[in-house]
Amino acid sequence: EKMRRKSRVAATSAQADPIKNAERSEDRIGIGIQSRSTTFSVGVVLFHSVALKLLLMKADHGDDFEAHRSWMAITSNLPRSSWYEYEYVDGNSKRYLDQPPFFAFFEYALSQLAYYVDPEMLKLENYNYCSTETVVFFRLSVICTEALLVIGVILYCNTWPQVTTTEVEWSRSKVLVVTALILFNPGLIMVDHIHFQYTGLILGLLLISVALIRRGTFLGDLGSVVSFTSLLFFKQSFVSVLPLYLVYFTRHFCFRPGPRNAFAEPASPSSSSSSSS
């Protein structure tokens, strides 16, 4: 009976306030139109970013180019048990696979595609091999993996509050500015598209992890742990961020919000009764 009464009250209130219902429907339509326009605008920024990076096809490349080529050759020619044992001397430097397991499997996946582009780049004895097909393949692989960075930026921007009473509210212009500043960042372009570091892939995982934390749900926290763990298995240098995650999750799951002085002993009934008397 209580449920019936509540439904009747809700129905009568909905009929009594047709203006509010119309405003709500208009707000929903406006949000949908705004989200579609934001997606289109982000796509335009992404298109110009890809066009700029395609112009760098014939640009110079750093020493990491040969490192990634050798890692692809190691993972494609040797068994997995020997990936971290093989090494060779290239001039004055020693080449070997010194990346975590997920990045090693990432290089293995790239090598499966590289075989159809230029099989010569996968030969272990081809030191400093640098054909046009190899350079184009590496540059296109970096551009494609930046899709994860775009996903991380969009997810993080969607965690901004949808209100207009704060300074950090969500807006289409802010999303476009943040996306453009990240995709056209000179340092990121230099590191990724000149030296082949795949930093966009790594930063995308980090942004996805932070965005899932900001949702404040259990599934969001679980997804954040999975994303950050994958990040550590891709790049060990991000282990310096691990203490921040440990502090957050320890505080979030092991401590409940309580009084200001968490170490104060609760007052005994006798002392409370004596003080009241």
Side-chain angles (χ1 to χ4, degrees), residues 181-233:
L181 288 176
I182 292 178
L183 292 180
F184 290 96
N185 185 281
L188 187 60
I189 293 176
M190 180 67 69
V191 170
D192 266 11
H193 301 275
I194 302 297
H195 292 282
F196 301 104
Q197 288 285 339
Y198 295 95
T199 309
L201 172 67
I202 307 302
L203 292 180
L205 288 173
L206 181 62
L207 286 175
I208 291 173
S209 178
V210 175
L212 292 175
I213 283 181
R214 287 173 60 88
R215 290 190 175 186
T217 61
F218 175 77
L219 291 178
D221 292 339
L222 183 61
S224 174
V225 171
V226 173
S227 178
F228 185 73
T229 304
S230 302
L231 171 63
L232 292 181
F233 278 100

Side-chain angles (χ1 to χ4, degrees), residues 143-176:
I143 293 175
C144 292
T145 54
E146 274 196 350
L148 196 64
L149 177 62
V150 177
I151 294 174
V153 171
I154 294 175
L155 289 178
Y156 181 80
C157 292
N158 287 337
T159 61
W160 295 340
Q162 299 279 348
V163 294
T164 57
T165 56
T166 62
E167 296 179 355
V168 292
E169 77 275 9
W170 184 94
S171 66
R172 185 170 67 94
S173 59
K174 289 182 179 180
V175 174
L176 295 180

Side-chain angles (χ1 to χ4, degrees), residues 4 12 28 72 87 123 137-138 164 179 206 212 262:
R4 291 178 181 177
T12 54
R28 292 173 183 174
M72 285 200 311
E87 62 181 28
K123 293 183 178 180
F137 173 79
F138 272 108
T164 57
T179 305
L206 181 62
L212 292 175

Side-chain angles (χ1 to χ4, degrees), residues 81 96 232 266 275:
S81 58
Y96 54 90
L232 292 181
S275 60

Side-chain angles (χ1 to χ4, degrees), residues 56-256:
L56 299 174
M57 282 292 179
K58 295 185 178 180
D60 194 11
H61 53 80
D63 295 335
D64 289 329
F65 177 83
E66 171 59 22
H68 285 283
R69 190 212 63 81
S70 64
W71 295 341
M72 285 200 311
I74 290 173
T75 55
S76 62
N77 290 281
L78 300 178
R80 297 176 185 176
S81 58
S82 302
W83 283 1
Y84 292 96
E85 298 176 358
Y86 180 83
E87 62 181 28
Y88 68 93
V89 178
D90 178 19
N92 296 325
S93 60
K94 185 181 293 186
R95 300 291 185 183
Y96 54 90
L97 181 59
D98 58 349
Q99 298 297 321
F102 280 15
F103 202 91
F105 281 104
F106 172 71
E107 295 286 351
Y108 174 77
L110 287 180
S111 67
Q112 303 306 303
L113 299 175
Y115 177 79
Y116 299 98
V117 178
D118 186 2
E120 294 296 323
M121 75 173 83
L122 300 179
K123 293 183 178 180
L124 291 172
E125 64 273 10
N126 282 350
Y127 304 148
N128 296 317
Y129 183 79
C130 183
S131 65
T132 303
E133 292 81 2
T134 305
V135 176
V136 171
F137 173 79
F138 272 108
R139 296 200 187 279
L140 290 179
S141 66
V142 174
I143 293 175
C144 292
T145 54
E146 274 196 350
L148 196 64
L149 177 62
V150 177
I151 294 174
V153 171
I154 294 175
L155 289 178
Y156 181 80
C157 292
N158 287 337
T159 61
W160 295 340
Q162 299 279 348
V163 294
T164 57
T165 56
T166 62
E167 296 179 355
V168 292
E169 77 275 9
W170 184 94
S171 66
R172 185 170 67 94
S173 59
K174 289 182 179 180
V175 174
L176 295 180
V177 169
V178 171
T179 305
L181 288 176
I182 292 178
L183 292 180
F184 290 96
N185 185 281
L188 187 60
I189 293 176
M190 180 67 69
V191 170
D192 266 11
H193 301 275
I194 302 297
H195 292 282
F196 301 104
Q197 288 285 339
Y198 295 95
T199 309
L201 172 67
I202 307 302
L203 292 180
L205 288 173
L206 181 62
L207 286 175
I208 291 173
S209 178
V210 175
L212 292 175
I213 283 181
R214 287 173 60 88
R215 290 190 175 186
T217 61
F218 175 77
L219 291 178
D221 292 339
L222 183 61
S224 174
V225 171
V226 173
S227 178
F228 185 73
T229 304
S230 302
L231 171 63
L232 292 181
F233 278 100
F234 263 102
K235 204 70 174 178
Q236 70 273 19
S237 59
F238 280 85
V239 72
S240 59
V241 190
L242 182 60
L244 299 178
Y245 278 80
L246 292 177
V247 171
Y248 169 77
F249 285 112
T250 302
R251 175 67 179 85
H252 187 67
F253 288 102
C254 299
F255 293 94
R256 295 181 179 179

